[in-house]
Amino acid sequence: ARRERGSLILPKADLIILDEAHRSVSGQFKSLLKEYPDAFVIGLTATPIRNDGKALGNVYEELVEAGSIQSLTSQGYLVPNRIVAPSIPDLQKIRIVMGDYEKKALDKKMNTTKLVGDLVEHWQHYGENRATIVFATSIAHSKHIANIFNQNGIRAGHIDSKMNELDRETQLANFDNGTIKVLCNCQILTEGWDQPKVSCVIIARPTKSYPMYLQMIGRTLRPYPNKKDTLIIDHSGCVYEHGFPEDAGNWTLSTKKP
């Protein structure tokens, strides 16, 4: 998609496969598809829905549901989840911008000493020393959370989009090998990242986006040796906003909004 059309000729193709297919109606994806007007297109996604309401039926003619969270869990391809919701933030005064909470106001609300301290306290109480990822509202929030975990003797790391590649890989490797127990991030591990050993997720980022909610939880549903279930510690109110993960499904394909 990043190739300059004038200097490089795109490869010929009769079949286009788009991962994270909920992005298919974005400008970059649509521009690429225009280069292949006669190709068959297959899209793959765990969340065939967009928060902005743009319809995927404008790209795809048929929806094939390969399996729901509920059915895949019953067959052993995903692990069961347990949910603890120890706090619900008051977000009534935060504006909604483009279908989600306004970022600066949300960060100001969530990135406080009290709320970050609660995250650590509740993990110590409920987290069972599990390998854990934390979803924060901003880079500063993520760093703050990691810092408080470390101050409390819990080895934690942070990863963000502004770090160089080596530092990111080092943090991921430290998490993989158990050098750190908790890995904090802001929207960098939401999609496409797979570490099955994760058995706890802390949602410290409230969102109106149903697909983002499912993607965050999806990072911790993979099976792993001796992993009987996964623990979701919800400090965001997302469970009350969106329901249980296994409720997802009954998707439809439309050419209209939403």
Side-chain angles (χ1 to χ4, degrees):
R2 291 188 177 92
R3 292 184 181 184
E4 295 182 15
R5 301 294 188 262
S7 60
L8 284 171
I9 299 174
L10 291 173
K12 294 181 179 180
D14 300 315
L15 173 66
I16 307 296
I17 301 175
L18 298 178
D19 195 18
E20 308 297 355
H22 48 279
R23 301 187 180 276
S24 299
V25 294
S26 68
Q28 189 181 59
F29 276 62
K30 288 197 296 184
S31 176
L32 185 63
L33 288 175
K34 285 181 180 178
E35 301 287 339
Y36 299 94
D38 299 320
F40 289 99
V41 179
I42 295 176
L44 305 171
T45 177
T47 52
I49 185 174
R50 289 178 59 90
N51 208 45
D52 60 10
K54 291 182 179 179
L56 297 177
N58 293 323
V59 177
Y60 302 100
E61 297 174 350
E62 185 176 353
L63 186 147
V64 180
E65 189 166 350
S68 64
I69 291 178
Q70 188 173 34
S71 66
L72 293 172
T73 301
S74 66
Q75 295 174 63
Y77 293 106
L78 299 176
V79 297
N81 66 82
R82 292 190 289 123
I83 300 174
V84 177
S87 63
I88 306 173
D90 182 3
L91 306 173
Q92 293 184 24
K93 295 182 179 180
I94 298 181
R95 292 188 305 124
I96 305 300
V97 178
M98 296 181 67
D100 208 349
Y101 296 108
E102 196 274 316
K103 292 181 180 179
K104 288 186 178 180
L106 181 65
D107 187 47
K108 184 177 180 180
K109 181 71 177 181
M110 300 298 294
N111 193 12
T112 67
T113 301
K114 171 66 169 62
L115 292 182
V116 171
D118 287 347
L119 294 180
V120 178
E121 181 182 343
H122 288 132
W123 186 87
Q124 289 174 312
H125 184 75
Y126 297 108
E128 302 170 357
N129 203 36
R130 293 170 177 245
T132 301
I133 54 171
V134 182
F135 289 101
T137 59
S138 68
I139 292 175
H141 189 210
S142 178
K143 288 180 177 179
H144 188 187
I145 295 169
N147 186 41
I148 299 301
F149 266 106
N150 282 310
Q151 288 180 13
N152 281 270
I154 302 155
R155 294 170 299 176
H158 156 85
I159 187 171
D160 66 56
S161 59
K162 295 184 179 180
M163 297 169 67
N164 65 55
E165 186 174 352
L166 179 59
D167 288 341
R168 289 199 302 269
E169 291 299 325
T170 298
Q171 287 287 55
L172 290 171
N174 287 339
F175 185 70
D176 291 349
N177 63 32
T179 302
I180 59 176
K181 179 67 66 173
V182 178
L183 182 59
C184 306
N185 81 105
C186 173
Q187 282 192 274
I188 196 169
L189 300 177
T190 312
E191 294 180 358
W193 178 67
D194 186 29
Q195 173 43 276
K197 69 181 283 186
V198 174
S199 61
C200 179
V201 57
I202 297 175
I203 305 178
R205 191 219 189 280
T207 181
K208 288 282 188 181
S209 171
Y210 187 48
M212 181 182 291
Y213 165 65
L214 290 180
Q215 291 281 359
M216 288 189 291
I217 288 175
R219 299 312 102 201
T220 185
L221 295 179
R222 273 45 166 205
Y224 192 72
N226 301 317
K227 179 178 172 181
K228 297 180 180 179
D229 60 19
T230 195
L231 178 65
I232 300 162
I233 304 178
D234 179 21
H235 281 265
S236 66
C238 277
V239 171
Y240 297 98
E241 177 89 26
H242 302 296
F244 297 115
E246 55 268 27
D247 293 339
N250 299 317
W251 308 109
T252 59
L253 194 62
S254 172
T255 58
K256 300 178 181 179
K257 290 182 66 176

